[in-house]
DNA sequence: GATCAAAACGGACCGCAGTCCGTTTTCTAT
DNA sequence: ATAGAAAACGGACTGCGGTCCGTTTTGATC
């Protein structure tokens, strides 16, 4: 006669225990705090654990690795941008035409990448960019490209459009000594060439 | 009366002492050997030092860091490719027209990047890609673009052409599940769009 | 409210990158 | 050949990321 006391909630991950949830929060808060105070590069796992008043083992069980922790911190920050893209005001959000949205996307993407540069670097490839944030961006660009009626291998063109805005590329470039401002203009030119099929009229 | 015994050789780095040079070579050989045997990710600095019969301090003085060492190993491998580009047979080397050279460049660049993927990853950004190899590639592409009479911000277009061939991008992409083969075709399409100005005739 | 298995905890412990500093080698000058 | 300073050497040492495992907490069951 006894059934599991709470709704089985089909297929959902077994539900996190209360202490686990509490500690996850403490750890994330402590991490964000420390990142802000001393910079991501100087944050040690021991420091985070003890600032959160939690054992080191727990920290690693929750976040897998240092990179994983940084990715979690980063993810939190980037979620806000994703929201702006999906449901914020135009031209970034819905409502403007696809071309203008694409340009706004590029500009803000560049800005957030630079803003979170250190965190992105520390998150390494385990991180947000690889899974969450990057595939969101890719999906969005693919969508805009299809709206623009771009022909060809749209997924790959999306990659090409995003690539120059990724941190590793930006880092290599600025070593070659580019002013960042010029970068956006160059990117717009690039996108124009990709979007406008050969033989069509030029774009403004 | 006594002058420095050997030609002062204007401005040249003070010349490496003989033991230093010998040890550098031993270390590099040991490193290459170990990388080959167990894979770059499993090579420890202690292992390299003791395989070379040299102290750890020496290893770090010569190569700065683990990443620096990996970069040195990588550099050695990539030099051969650079030579093919600059003076090998066409279409990669000089002799073919710029468009064909550009395509050959892209294909071989993609190949070598994938071939050396592990080393590139281990070399991190301290490495060859950042300084040596990357700027070589960028310079070459700029040159080919100008040969093709491309208008616009050539240095930036070169960045855009190279970016999708860089490892971090390739890694993100194949997570999205692209077959690698398709990639080259997509890249050719991209380059075509960049090189062919809007309104001009399409390319073969 | 008592019982019990599963899950989470925490800190001692390990391996490796990178530093430090007393010792040895090399090279120049005489 | 010899002396002396500069440069290179090497291995003990430190700090940090990550693991392991005996102990504690949770929450479902009766």
């Amino acid at each position: 006669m006894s059934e599991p006391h709470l709704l089985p909630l089909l297929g959902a991950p077994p539900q996190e225990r209360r202490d686990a949830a509490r500690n996850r929060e403490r750890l994330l808060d402590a991490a964000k705090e420390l990142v802000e105070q001393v910079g991501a590069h100087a944050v040690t796992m021991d420091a985070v654990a003890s600032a959160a008043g939690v054992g080191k083992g727990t920290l690693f069980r929750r976040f897998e690795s240092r990179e994983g922790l940084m990715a979690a911190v980063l993810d939190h920050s980037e979620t806000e941008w994703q929201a702006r893209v999906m449901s914020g005001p135009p031209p970034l959000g819905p409502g403007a035409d696809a071309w203008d949205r694409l340009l706004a996307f590029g500009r803000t993407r560049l800005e957030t990448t630079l803003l979170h540069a250190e965190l992105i670097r520390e998150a390494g490839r385990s991180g947000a960019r690889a899974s969450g944030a990057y595939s969101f961006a890719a999906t969005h660009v693919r969508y805009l490209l299809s709206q623009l009626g771009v022909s060809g291998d749209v997924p790959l063109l999306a990659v090409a459009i995003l690539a120059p805005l990724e941190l590793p590329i930006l880092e290599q470039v600025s070593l070659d000594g580019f002013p960042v401002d010029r970068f956006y203009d160059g990117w717009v030119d690039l996108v124009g060439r990709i979007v406008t099929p050969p033989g069509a009229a030029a774009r403004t």
Side-chain angles (χ1 to χ4, degrees), chain A:
Chain A
M1 327 11 275
S2 37
E3 293 292 300
H5 171 251
L6 266 172
L7 28 162
L9 206 52
L10 61 155
Q15 160 121 28
E16 195 170 51
R17 243 170 66 169
R18 208 170 267 126
D19 51 350
R22 177 172 44 79
N23 285 339
R24 132 118 87 254
E25 180 132 350
R26 281 186 189 168
L27 286 165
L28 210 63
D29 286 349
K32 281 195 274 191
E33 174 85 10
L34 281 173
V35 165
E36 203 165 302
Q37 283 178 0
V38 302
H41 72 277
V43 172
T44 75
M45 295 304 263
D46 286 285
V48 173
S50 85
V54 151
K56 206 181 178 182
T58 303
L59 173 52
F60 276 90
R61 195 169 328 97
R62 280 283 110 52
F63 297 98
E64 185 91 344
S65 68
R66 195 191 126 95
E67 295 194 347
L69 175 63
M70 295 302 180
V73 174
L74 175 62
D75 179 70
H76 202 269
S77 302
E78 297 227 310
T79 299
E80 186 260 350
W81 174 71
Q82 298 186 206
R84 280 201 290 147
V85 172
M86 298 213 307
S87 57
L92 182 56
D97 80 63
W99 175 256
D100 292 333
R101 288 194 77 186
L102 186 52
L103 295 192
F105 174 91
R107 174 165 269 307
T108 56
R109 172 86 175 168
L110 183 56
E111 283 165 3
T112 48
T113 298
L114 293 176
L115 181 63
H116 299 143
E118 195 189 356
L119 228 32
I120 294 171
R121 217 176 291 130
E122 301 288 321
R125 74 202 199 85
S126 101
R129 291 274 150 164
S131 46
Y134 180 79
S135 68
F136 166 80
T139 304
H140 188 62
V141 170
R142 284 195 293 268
Y143 165 72
L144 293 177
L145 289 183
S146 72
Q147 288 284 304
L148 286 165
V150 170
S151 63
D153 192 331
V154 169
L156 267 172
L157 293 176
V159 169
I161 285 175
L162 285 170
L165 304 178
E166 293 297 304
L167 189 62
I169 306 301
L170 292 174
E171 276 172 339
Q172 278 175 338
V173 164
S174 54
L175 288 183
D176 268 4
F178 276 74
V180 195
D181 310 356
R182 182 175 148 201
F183 209 85
Y184 175 67
D185 294 338
W187 181 82
V188 172
D189 176 28
L190 170 73
V191 175
R193 290 172 194 242
I194 289 177
V195 168
T196 311
R203 227 178 216 293
T204 20

